[in-house]
Amino acid sequence: MSEKEVKNLEEIFEQRIARDEKIEPKDWMPEKYRKTHIRQISQHAHSEIVGMLPEGNWITRAPSLRRKVALLAKVQDEAGHGLYLYSACETLGVSRDELYEQLHSGKAKYSSIFNYPTITWADIGAIGWLVDGAAIINQVPLCSTSYGPYARAMIRVCKEESFHQRQGFEIMMTLAKGTPEQKAMAQDALNRWWWPSLMMLGPTDAESVHTAQSMKWKLKRKTNDELRQQFIDQTVPQAELIGLTIPDEDLKWNEEKGGYDFGEIDWDEFWQVVKGHGPCNKERLSARVNAWEKGEWVRDAAMAYAKKQEDKKLREAI
Amino acid sequence: MKKENLKQYIYGIADNVLILGQRLSELCGHGPSLETDIACTNIALDLLGQTRSYYQYVAQLFDEDKTEDDIAFLRTERQYKNVLLVEQPNTHFGYVIVRQFFFDVFHLQLLQQLQNSTDETLSAIAKKAIKEVSYHKRFSSDWIKRLGDGTEESHQKVQEAVNDLWRFTDELFHMTEDDIATLESGVGIDVRVLKDKYYQQVKEILQEATLDIPETSWFQKGGKQGIHSEHMGYLLSDLQYMQRTYPDMKW
Amino acid sequence: MENNWPLWEVFVRSKNGLEHRHFGSLHAADAEMALENARDVYTRRSEGVSIWVVESKHITASNPDNNGELFEPAQDKVYRHPTFYDLPDEVKHM
């Protein structure tokens, strides 16, 4: 294809997206669109399965049977969501194993928030309330993103995730209403998870390299800073409702902008965690690698068995 | 049958599914593939759901002020009446599957009898659970075959698990005093009569999976009397951690 | 890499009376496992009463480059649609 022809195709392609048409796997697409989508969808998938680990840490210790089954179902959902997203990514011509390889080698990124430890039961509440809350804000607009398989996966994810945040908030609410010890546990968790949750919505607009392109392809509908503002504005009243204090001295209502002003985010910490220096980066990655490597003989066995059965069927047919 | 017999009888059934559910939930996020992870978690959720039905029934029958959680989390080790098999650790995926398979074959037979219990609640719980457990048994049998007749490595690994866990199978068919008392009143079932059919079914699948049937004549027992393996204490310290550390709180 | 579980497409009938609809995909070593995995992955919230699985490589898809010749010719066949025909308003039940 000549350069001019490609340019022409690209123009038609961008017009289709501008008209809100969906792009499907076999449609022509610019290489950059494919690559950007592989990167974003796989990061998203990796975040789901790495995200299973901090919460999985508390399944065996959940304080009641009701909490145990809810948490188990939630973490299982995350496996499901990882699976939907890997499948969406595979329609772009990359296999799940290649994507795993990128994760395991440290080449691919996942959401940094999962590199923080879950050290008390209240952390499970805080994750559901804050981390899933921030994730939902990020994800809902993706239900109408331009790439069909991604949009469809996100519709399913959002539908299933609606219980996750409620599950977390209910845990926090119960703790906040409980004994002084429980309330302190909840406040401590909020203190530790608040700032990482704000960081989770991505670097400030000034620092964000992908925003303009992502807006055009509907991978983003609002900028990171807008999303962050939305998250803060909806979360602060929830904290007040259950009598917990947001750990930010500069937080105050700004009548003029109709939203909260808030303190400086420690972006240095953010970049340190992104670079792999968070408290649990090593543990999370090695848990994933471990599961994969220890599972190899199982996956191989299933393939060998399937092949034997296939051969047997063939022999019987002859 | 005294009330205490009935309580202990239900513990005997319910503790099996609680402890196996707990073991399976350790695996969530660490399985050989996402798909198997999701499948094992489904089994854990079924088992924990059954646990809750049994404990809620016990709570309702006996102690007005006790909840399912008091029963699940606040007994001492000797008061748990599960068989030794279900508390065995997740040494590797072969052990997970063999433990599941050995239990599922028994569990389904047990429930099929229990649905005829004169106790309506137990009968109803059993009827619902039969559907779940039929699926578990299909899942674990299929995997026994895949691992047994898969690669040389998988064959050897799953054979190791079969050899190791075989000694815990006989206990499934022991009758405790409570079992006998509840059997006489038509509430409980006679697990002894399930034994021949159990071994026949198990052996069929193992043979199909090209696995050898172990030739042990020595079997372990004790779980049903609350005398557990050393693994149990660690399992319980996880399970009970919150309730023990923060007594008398709502979660 | 040939030892990786192949990809399967999953179709689920939500309830009797409805058609099977494409739900998504998953990996499995064989058809049995694909069915079991589909049950566990895609019907956790009672989404289905029947499942089909087919290995993805067995699906032949039309090429969107040919969409012009494949689908556009149907667009001007307006006479296939009831609104093409003019009838007086007095005619009922038609």
Side-chain angles (χ1 to χ4, degrees):
Chain A
M1 226 181 291
S2 76
E3 212 172 294
K4 197 174 150 208
E5 278 170 321
V6 171
K7 203 143 182 64
N8 194 21
L9 278 172
E10 275 181 17
E11 238 164 65
I12 296 171
F13 180 84
E14 299 294 351
Q15 284 163 4
R16 287 182 62 193
I17 293 183
R19 281 197 304 269
D20 259 340
E21 274 181 43
K22 297 282 183 222
I23 307 302
E24 293 296 343
K26 291 176 91 74
D27 291 348
W28 183 88
M29 60 184 79
E31 201 42 34
K32 194 168 170 218
Y33 181 90
R34 182 188 304 276
K35 285 211 166 107
T36 305
H37 276 76
I38 290 176
R39 196 188 63 232
Q40 172 158 341
I41 302 170
S42 65
Q43 273 185 18
H44 198 159
H46 297 329
S47 300
E48 294 282 354
I49 60 159
V50 175
M52 294 170 75
L53 299 167
E55 290 181 282
N57 185 34
W58 278 88
I59 294 173
T60 59
R61 292 179 293 168
S64 72
L65 291 176
R66 179 172 177 270
R67 293 287 179 218
K68 193 189 284 287
V69 291
L71 182 59
L72 198 48
K74 175 176 191 266
V75 179
Q76 183 196 39
D77 271 351
E78 278 149 18
H81 299 168
L83 193 154
Y84 307 154
L85 289 161
Y86 283 126
S87 300
C89 215
E90 284 182 90
T91 62
L92 290 161
V94 51
S95 73
R96 194 197 292 178
D97 303 83
E98 288 171 71
L99 298 171
Y100 274 165
E101 175 54 36
Q102 292 171 4
L103 173 69
H104 296 163
S105 66
K107 204 178 129 207
K109 298 270 179 278
Y110 55 85
S111 185
S112 280
I113 193 121
F114 301 119
N115 291 317
Y116 290 88
T118 48
I119 56 182
T120 71
W121 169 249
D123 291 18
I124 298 307
I127 289 184
W129 175 31
L130 302 173
V131 177
D132 286 278
I136 290 167
I137 283 184
N138 251 331
Q139 287 171 355
V140 168
L142 289 173
C143 295
S144 56
T145 190
S146 66
Y147 187 55
Y150 192 23
R152 290 192 287 274
M154 289 318 299
I155 289 171
R156 195 176 290 279
V157 168
C158 287
K159 208 165 106 192
E160 296 187 351
E161 271 203 354
S162 52
F163 95 82
H164 294 184
Q165 197 191 9
R166 295 171 72 102
Q167 178 255 180
F169 189 72
E170 197 196 75
I171 291 174
M172 289 304 257
M173 192 172 65
T174 310
L175 293 174
K177 279 196 306 205
T179 64
E181 211 176 357
Q182 283 175 306
K183 188 167 181 185
M185 191 194 283
Q187 182 63 53
D188 170 62
L190 172 57
N191 293 349
R192 283 180 290 107
W193 290 94
W194 174 253
W195 293 103
S197 301
L198 296 190
M199 294 175 198
M200 196 185 151
L201 293 154
T204 53
D205 297 348
E207 297 272 326
S208 183
V209 278
H210 304 301
T211 298
Q213 180 73 82
S214 297
M215 290 276 195
K216 210 163 70 181
W217 288 339
K218 299 176 181 167
L219 277 168
K220 258 188 173 309
R221 287 280 156 104
K222 289 179 178 173
T223 70
N224 294 348
D225 287 336
E226 286 168 338
L227 293 172
R228 197 163 8 249
Q229 188 68 51
Q230 184 188 338
F231 174 72
I232 293 169
D233 293 345
Q234 75 178 43
T235 311
V236 172
Q238 293 167 353
E240 281 169 0
L241 190 75
I242 56 175
L244 296 179
T245 312
I246 302 285
D248 179 356
E249 286 179 1
D250 298 321
L251 187 81
K252 66 167 189 293
W253 179 254
N254 180 330
E255 190 61 51
E256 207 175 310
K257 79 169 180 188
Y260 285 90
D261 288 333
F262 53 96
E264 192 77 28
I265 292 172
D266 182 356
W267 290 111
D268 189 44
E269 176 183 323
F270 175 78
W271 291 114
Q272 286 304 321
V273 181
V274 171
K275 280 181 200 142
H277 308 308
C280 297
N281 292 59
K282 265 187 137 34
E283 287 79 357
R284 300 294 182 243
L285 214 52
S286 72
R288 284 313 316 164
V289 172
N290 215 359
W292 185 245
E293 285 176 353
K294 281 193 174 154
E296 191 179 359
W297 69 272
V298 177
R299 297 189 302 274
D300 287 352
M303 281 309 283
Y305 177 79
K307 186 152 190 328
K308 281 186 199 174
Q309 295 302 106
E310 195 68 26
D311 292 348
K312 206 165 113 193
K313 241 193 258 168
L314 270 178
R315 272 201 311 277
E316 277 164 12
I318 300 165
Chain B
M1 178 186 71
K2 297 195 191 96
K3 274 188 111 180
E4 183 63 20
N5 293 133
L6 178 58
K7 186 201 255 180
Q8 293 302 323
Y9 181 68
I10 301 175
Y11 284 166
I13 297 171
D15 291 349
N16 281 342
V17 283
L18 168 70
I19 301 301
L20 186 55
Q22 174 79 357
R23 273 289 182 235
L24 285 174
S25 55
E26 290 170 15
L27 291 169
C28 186
H30 306 277
S33 78
L34 274 179
E35 285 83 354
T36 36
D37 224 314
I38 294 171
C40 290
T41 308
N42 264 352
I43 296 178
L45 283 168
D46 285 343
L47 295 176
L48 292 170
Q50 293 166 19
T51 306
R52 295 184 69 190
S53 306
Y54 290 122
Y55 288 167
Q56 283 165 7
Y57 181 44
V58 172
Q60 174 209 326
L61 269 182
F62 299 100
D63 305 286
E64 292 290 329
D65 56 335
K66 274 222 169 101
T67 67
E68 56 173 14
D69 290 329
D70 296 326
I71 299 168
F73 298 103
L74 292 174
R75 281 178 290 156
T76 61
E77 177 164 341
R78 290 293 309 276
Q79 291 169 324
Y80 287 85
K81 298 297 161 63
N82 57 282
V83 292
L84 298 173
L85 174 67
V86 294
E87 70 200 44
Q88 298 308 307
N90 303 323
T91 309
H92 59 56
F93 192 71
Y95 278 78
V96 174
I97 290 300
V98 172
R99 184 184 61 204
Q100 192 66 40
F101 172 63
F102 283 173
F103 184 70
D104 290 343
V105 175
F106 164 76
H107 196 195
L108 185 58
Q109 288 183 343
L110 173 111
L111 294 169
Q112 280 163 344
Q113 299 290 320
L114 192 64
Q115 67 176 335
N116 303 322
S117 168
T118 54
D119 184 302
E120 280 176 16
T121 310
L122 287 182
S123 159
I125 297 174
K127 277 185 185 134
K128 178 166 177 287
I130 283 173
K131 293 180 189 146
E132 297 170 343
V133 175
S134 304
Y135 185 78
H136 303 171
K137 186 182 152 198
R138 178 216 297 255
F139 177 85
S140 60
S141 309
D142 282 353
W143 269 105
I144 288 279
K145 290 182 234 164
R146 287 191 190 104
L147 298 180
D149 197 14
T151 63
E152 219 168 286
E153 184 187 7
S154 72
H155 178 86
Q156 175 246 316
K157 279 194 134 110
V158 77
Q159 183 71 58
E160 172 201 342
V162 166
N163 295 348
D164 219 7
L165 296 175
W166 187 259
R167 66 202 155 114
F168 299 113
T169 52
D170 189 64
E171 191 192 8
L172 295 164
F173 308 101
H174 288 198
M175 292 289 281
T176 64
E177 277 173 34
D178 303 303
D179 291 346
I180 290 166
T182 48
L183 172 64
E184 283 164 359
S185 66
V187 170
I189 67 154
D190 192 345
V191 284
R192 289 168 301 197
V193 304
L194 305 176
K195 191 169 170 175
D196 287 346
K197 199 173 149 209
Y198 174 86
Y199 280 110
Q200 188 198 327
Q201 283 190 10
V202 165
K203 283 175 184 170
E204 263 171 34
I205 301 282
L206 290 183
Q207 271 158 1
E208 206 183 321
T210 71
L211 291 162
D212 294 331
I213 317 294
E215 286 175 22
T216 338
S217 53
W218 178 252
F219 292 96
Q220 298 294 333
K221 58 177 194 277
K224 285 186 148 186
Q225 278 74 35
I227 303 170
H228 293 280
S229 60
E230 289 182 349
H231 303 296
M232 185 69 171
Y234 295 96
L235 183 148
L236 289 181
S237 55
D238 261 8
L239 181 73
Q240 300 188 342
Y241 168 68
M242 289 298 290
Q243 292 271 348
R244 294 290 183 197
T245 314
Y246 305 95
D248 301 322
M249 297 184 198
K250 284 203 165 40
W251 300 99
Chain C
M1 293 293 260
E2 66 184 52
N3 255 348
N4 295 329
W5 292 355
L7 194 65
W8 298 72
E9 301 301 323
V10 178
F11 299 82
V12 177
R13 185 201 296 287
S14 320
K15 62 175 189 196
N16 274 11
L18 296 178
E19 67 277 63
H20 284 77
R21 198 164 62 80
H22 184 236
F23 257 46
S25 47
L26 48 75
H27 290 266
D30 54 50
E32 272 300 299
M33 195 202 283
L35 265 183
E36 289 173 9
N37 290 348
R39 177 258 194 195
D40 286 322
V41 171
Y42 288 104
T43 65
R44 299 200 298 288
R45 291 175 167 80
S46 341
E47 291 95 333
V49 295
S50 162
I51 302 174
W52 291 345
V53 290
V54 57
E55 205 178 327
S56 309
K57 70 176 184 198
H58 295 311
I59 290 183
T60 310
S62 65
N63 184 342
D65 290 348
N66 302 334
N67 275 12
E69 63 194 68
L70 287 175
F71 307 115
E72 274 173 33
Q75 283 171 7
D76 65 355
K77 310 290 191 293
V78 283
Y79 43 81
R80 294 194 202 275
H81 300 280
T83 47
F84 176 74
Y85 302 92
D86 284 329
L87 294 180
D89 291 345
E90 296 82 61
V91 182
K92 304 289 182 200
H93 307 299
M94 198 177 280

